Amino acid sequence: MYHHYATQLAAICIEVKPFPVFGPKLAVKNLALAESLNLAHLFDTDHTLLEALFSPTGELQIKSVAQKYGGHQFGQWNPHLGDGRGLLLGEVKNNQQQLIDLHLKGAGPTPYSRHADGRAVLRSTIREYLASEALHHLGIPSSRALALITSNEPIVREQREKGAMMIRTCPSHIRFGHFEYFYHANMTKELDALFEFCLEHHFTEASGHVNPHLALLTEIARSTAVLVAKWQAYGFNHGVMNTDNMSIHGITFDFGPYAFLDDFIPQYICNKSDHAGRYAFNQQPSIALWNLNALAHAFSNKLTMGEIKEALRLFEPTFIAAYRNEMLNRFGFEITSGELQSHNDSSLDALNALSTRFVKLLSDEFADYHQSFRLLSNSISNIQDGDYQSISQHFHEKASFERWAKDLSQHLRTHVIDSELMQQKMLTKNPKYVLRNHLMQQAIAKANNDDFSMVDALITVTKSPFDEHPELSHLARVPSEKDKGIAISCSS
């Protein structure tokens, strides 16, 4: 176990020990992730992990710390933030010798709890566990869940709920808000130490650049653009894109009232607390750029205004190219993540136009976003053969769909595209199983009665969402009208 953050940045964090919950029980464990982090020994028995967390000599709490940061919350600056219920336990190296943070959520009160209890409820803990794994297995960068611990401790939020803890992992827990806080507080020495820490441990390529701070800001802008492009391509609405919830590593971070789309409604708002729709699905790219602008202020003593603009100008073309490539991948054309420049291939340009038209069709009739792509994946051979009716029955505007399908069929024949190979690729890019909110509500209700069978089932299908899983096919059904578009509150 390493403690680079706790030792090198001792001035911007506070040592705090996890406060044990009443009646802790290891409920869910991610053994594959544990093995990749060389932590399988923590799961030798159900008590091994608990001892490591709560024993005075436990290896996971030797130098646990709470981090200080700030953040723009719904556009308003708040300097009074920090790890109010979470603790950075330390860092480990994975099988690729990369440093990975271990972080305990629901760890109890810290100096940054702001008179709160520092706990997490079972409901939000299950949601974060499931979402982080679902995104990871869809190929969307995310923090990950190592273990979920339940308790008999009652927690009061909007109502009385069960308390829980979760150990999550990611390259680091450094947020946009870290830099913002020390910049706005005029803590130059601490801000410089944070920059140097990031360049030493997390952005080593940037550290060797002729202008390391420009390279650092440029990489954060690039990775953020690629991340949000993946969110948009796979219909994921984060819901609370405050700058304290934005990772410098371009990963999905701090899950709250998120949702995967049901019907394709671009202006969908998954957060009941977001009355103005600031974090609506279709606003995510512009908010990501807004957040990068907020972060960039912290670089103003290191870079000229021209250099800052140079880094931020990268966001839009990177986002557009990354989104285009993700959608082309969903149509069976494999474009690697590194190929983010425009393609001159007229075939791909034409297919991009067809992709855009297909998404417009889904939007016009509020079609189910995920099922529509899966249906299309299973129907490419039929479409190439001129059979449009077998899939058009799933659309209200059958004529509009059939005109689009006819154009796709013509494209496939003109460019001599193997529809069977295309279909095989599409079935590996368009998931059959999606982590919908109504399913999680059902799983949470069961878990509150100590039945984790549905949580386990959702973990199974999110780990391999493109596979058929015939025994769990009911989890792939389109939700009923009453179960569509469920919004969640920020309370956790």
Side-chain angles (χ1 to χ4, degrees):
M1 179 79 73
Y2 301 88
H3 300 283
H4 297 111
Y5 191 99
T7 53
Q8 292 182 239
L9 298 176
I12 63 176
C13 60
I14 296 176
E15 286 199 35
V16 182
K17 299 299 182 188
F19 194 81
V21 288
F22 177 67
K25 181 181 178 182
L26 180 58
V28 187
K29 51 193 174 184
N30 193 334
L31 293 179
L33 179 58
E35 289 176 1
S36 74
L37 298 175
N38 303 302
L39 293 174
H41 65 280
L42 291 177
F43 300 97
D44 286 345
T45 73
D46 286 354
H47 297 289
T48 308
L49 180 66
L50 302 179
E51 286 289 316
L53 282 172
F54 304 128
S55 168
T57 58
E59 65 176 287
L60 294 182
Q61 58 88 64
I62 292 173
K63 205 171 181 61
S64 55
V65 297
Q67 297 174 308
K68 175 59 187 163
Y69 47 84
H72 280 87
Q73 298 187 308
F74 289 90
Q76 303 300 312
W77 172 244
N78 184 351
H80 306 295
L81 302 177
D83 282 339
R85 59 175 176 164
L87 295 175
L88 176 61
L89 302 175
E91 305 113 58
V92 296
K93 284 189 176 180
N94 64 13
N95 291 340
Q96 287 75 48
Q97 297 302 301
Q98 299 164 322
L99 278 175
I100 301 293
D101 271 8
L102 298 184
H103 189 270
L104 180 66
K105 292 195 72 172
T110 79
Y112 311 122
S113 297
R114 293 182 287 172
H115 307 293
D117 56 25
R119 294 304 193 194
V121 297
L122 180 60
R123 164 178 49 88
S124 64
T125 307
I126 288 173
R127 283 177 55 82
E128 175 155 356
Y129 192 108
L130 290 171
S132 61
E133 288 303 292
L135 289 175
H136 172 75
H137 290 287
L138 284 172
I140 301 174
S142 176
S143 63
R144 295 194 65 191
L146 180 64
L148 189 155
I149 299 165
T150 60
S151 79
N152 294 324
E153 186 171 321
I155 305 294
V156 178
R157 293 294 182 263
E158 295 170 342
Q159 58 188 3
R160 190 182 178 98
E161 301 185 55
K162 281 189 174 183
M165 290 179 164
M166 188 185 80
I167 299 178
R168 73 176 175 193
T169 72
C170 59
S172 87
H173 281 71
I174 300 174
R175 311 149 187 268
F176 288 15
H178 277 83
F179 293 92
E180 289 184 281
Y181 176 77
F182 297 110
Y183 169 76
H184 290 297
N186 200 29
M187 297 171 68
T188 305
K189 181 179 177 181
E190 290 81 0
L191 180 58
D192 284 347
L194 183 61
F195 275 126
E196 291 307 312
F197 181 87
C198 291
L199 290 168
E200 177 185 354
H201 293 293
H202 301 299
F203 294 85
T204 54
E205 289 189 9
S207 68
H209 193 274
V210 64
N211 190 334
H213 294 88
L214 175 59
L216 174 60
L217 182 58
T218 300
E219 175 54 24
I220 295 172
R222 185 206 64 79
S223 63
T224 301
V226 172
L227 170 68
V228 179
K230 289 177 180 289
W231 285 357
Q232 300 308 111
Y234 278 92
F236 178 77
N237 191 187
H238 183 278
V240 196
M241 290 176 66
N242 297 333
T243 58
D244 56 296
N245 294 337
M246 297 291 292
S247 166
I248 62 170
H249 299 284
I251 63 172
T252 318
F253 191 62
D254 274 6
F255 296 86
Y258 68 85
F260 283 90
L261 299 179
D262 291 316
D263 292 344
F264 186 51
I265 302 173
Q267 65 274 21
Y268 173 66
I269 303 168
C270 66
N271 183 351
K272 284 201 299 188
S273 304
D274 186 9
H275 305 296
R278 178 181 177 86
Y279 299 139
F281 175 72
N282 61 355
Q283 295 300 310
Q284 292 183 137
S286 61
I287 289 297
L289 183 55
W290 191 99
N291 289 341
L292 285 164
N293 274 276
L295 167 67
H297 283 86
F299 286 74
S300 59
N301 292 329
K302 303 293 183 183
L303 303 175
T304 67
M305 184 58 68
E307 288 170 331
I308 289 174
K309 288 181 178 179
E310 175 189 339
L312 298 185
R313 271 197 295 266
L314 179 69
F315 178 88
E316 184 175 358
T318 301
F319 170 81
I320 291 171
Y323 177 76
R324 179 178 188 246
N325 290 350
E326 287 295 328
M327 298 306 288
L328 288 174
N329 284 339
R330 298 199 72 171
F331 272 82
F333 286 81
E334 295 181 5
I335 309 297
T336 66
S337 60
E339 297 179 64
L340 297 182
Q341 301 302 315
S342 297
H343 292 272
N344 294 320
D345 191 316
S346 60
S347 172
L348 293 184
D349 289 340
L351 192 63
N352 183 59
L354 285 165
S355 167
T356 301
R357 282 177 57 194
F358 183 69
V359 173
K360 179 69 163 54
L361 277 171
L362 304 187
S363 175
D364 286 346
E365 60 176 76
F366 306 120
D368 187 276
Y369 188 72
H370 308 286
Q371 190 199 53
S372 296
F373 271 100
R374 188 71 177 186
L375 283 169
L376 183 63
S377 302
N378 280 309
S379 304
I380 288 297
S381 294
N382 289 345
I383 288 174
Q384 187 173 39
D385 293 339
D387 174 11
Y388 315 135
Q389 288 74 28
S390 59
I391 182 174
S392 67
Q393 62 181 312
H394 296 281
F395 292 83
H396 299 300
E397 297 296 329
K398 294 181 176 57
S400 295
F401 174 82
E402 289 181 8
R403 282 195 297 273
W404 175 85
K406 183 177 180 180
D407 290 343
L408 176 61
S409 175
Q410 181 62 45
H411 176 88
L412 297 178
R413 289 196 298 270
T414 299
H415 295 278
V416 196
I417 294 171
D418 185 334
S419 60
E420 290 188 7
L421 180 59
M422 184 178 177
Q423 180 169 310
Q424 290 172 15
K425 291 179 179 178
M426 289 182 71
L427 288 172
T428 68
K429 295 294 181 181
N430 296 294
K432 176 177 178 178
Y433 295 92
V434 179
L435 193 63
R436 300 180 191 259
N437 269 348
H438 77 286
L439 296 174
M440 283 184 288
Q441 298 287 74
Q442 296 170 24
I444 290 165
K446 288 178 178 290
N448 277 321
N449 291 315
D450 298 319
D451 178 359
F452 277 77
S453 60
M454 190 164 178
V455 171
D456 291 338
L458 289 174
I459 290 173
T460 296
V461 296
T462 55
K463 279 185 175 179
S464 48
F466 307 102
D467 295 346
E468 288 298 323
H469 297 289
E471 74 285 2
L472 295 172
S473 60
H474 60 284
L475 298 177
R477 293 173 188 158
V478 173
S480 65
E481 287 299 322
K482 71 179 180 64
D483 285 333
K484 289 181 179 179
I486 295 174
I488 306 292
S489 76
C490 283
S491 170
S492 59

